[in-house]
Amino acid sequence: MSAAPEPRLEKQRYRWPVPPEGGWTADDLDRIPGLPPHTELIDGSLVFMSPQRKFHTRTMWLLEQALLAHLPHDLDVDREMTIRLDKRNRPEPDMVVYRAEADTGADQTWYAPEDVVLAVEVVSPDSQDRDRDVKPRKYAAAGVVHFWRVEADADGLPIVYVYELDPARQAYTPTGIYHNKLSLDVPFRVEADLTQIYSRGR
């Protein structure tokens, strides 16, 4: 028994972008019309994001507030901006801390890896393999020094897994796992009460 076509999709007759020979490039990501928000480029292939869960949204809000409260003056933070790692890879971390001098203005769509101090990924059910393996390997190979991976515990609270680049191996080394409270001195001093994810400071 076959499933009936979904009427909304039938009406729209959406045409998926057909990749050129050799796959898409980092420059193509800014030129392909009609891409869904937060489309990434991984190994020349387009990766589309699923709708975000509340855990994902609130975790980003909590960490953004913590980072903004502690950032040195020469650094800044953005949500969901791509990093142009090479010609075939422009992943989009959930959050990036970057050198403020790399800000080129309102039309900017990506940062170079040498300007990124920290990449943060909040893991979703459909992105586990990418966030736990594929993307950190690529960030490390490109020289992004600090990486955080954030996952939900059994109670829906964030657990922050912290990594630092081992330049000799071009791979990340784990430096800590944080439950309830995040407290770090590198790449700068930052603290966050992870239990406040749903309170918004109330």
Side-chain angles (χ1 to χ4, degrees):
M1 181 176 179
S2 61
E6 211 286 318
R8 180 177 54 84
L9 296 179
E10 283 290 303
K11 284 182 182 178
Q12 290 179 346
R13 294 189 181 278
Y14 181 75
R15 295 186 179 185
W16 297 100
V18 178
E21 185 176 349
W24 300 106
T25 69
D27 289 335
D28 291 330
L29 204 56
D30 292 326
R31 297 193 290 249
I32 303 169
L35 286 180
H38 314 303
T39 300
E40 300 182 288
L41 184 72
I42 304 291
D43 293 328
S45 296
L46 300 176
V47 178
F48 306 126
M49 305 296 175
S50 297
Q52 290 184 354
R53 297 179 303 153
K54 188 171 186 176
F55 169 81
H56 193 283
T57 300
R58 288 299 182 91
T59 296
M60 289 203 302
W61 177 86
L62 180 70
L63 293 179
E64 183 181 50
Q65 295 301 310
L67 289 168
L68 286 170
H70 294 88
L71 279 177
H73 72 280
D74 59 337
L75 299 178
D76 208 343
V77 60
D78 275 333
R79 291 185 182 198
E80 300 163 328
M81 285 280 286
T82 58
I83 306 175
R84 183 177 174 146
L85 301 181
D86 55 41
K87 184 179 178 180
R88 290 167 49 83
N89 289 280
R90 255 181 73 182
E92 183 183 288
D94 290 303
M95 206 165 293
V96 289
V97 174
Y98 60 94
R99 303 182 203 290
E101 62 190 21
D103 187 336
T104 63
D107 293 329
Q108 186 168 3
T109 58
W110 55 269
Y111 293 108
E114 58 267 25
D115 292 319
V116 176
V117 175
L118 167 68
V120 181
E121 295 286 0
V122 181
V123 177
S124 298
D126 71 323
S127 69
Q128 288 180 357
D129 290 342
R130 292 193 305 276
D131 293 344
R132 292 173 179 172
D133 179 41
V134 177
K135 292 169 76 173
R137 278 194 290 106
K138 291 182 178 297
Y139 296 149
V144 176
V145 177
H146 299 277
F147 173 69
W148 297 353
R149 189 183 85 244
V150 188
E151 307 215 17
D153 70 11
D155 296 319
L157 297 179
I159 306 171
V160 182
Y161 298 82
V162 175
Y163 300 85
E164 190 167 344
L165 183 65
D166 178 348
R169 295 170 49 240
Q170 285 191 304
Y172 287 124
T173 298
T175 60
I177 302 174
Y178 294 85
H179 301 257
N180 298 326
K181 183 176 182 180
L182 177 68
S183 182
L184 293 168
D185 291 318
V186 291
F188 46 85
R189 181 69 183 163
V190 60
E191 292 189 353
D193 183 349
L194 302 176
T195 67
Q196 295 299 302
I197 177 174
Y198 299 114
S199 75
R200 295 181 66 88
R202 291 194 288 267

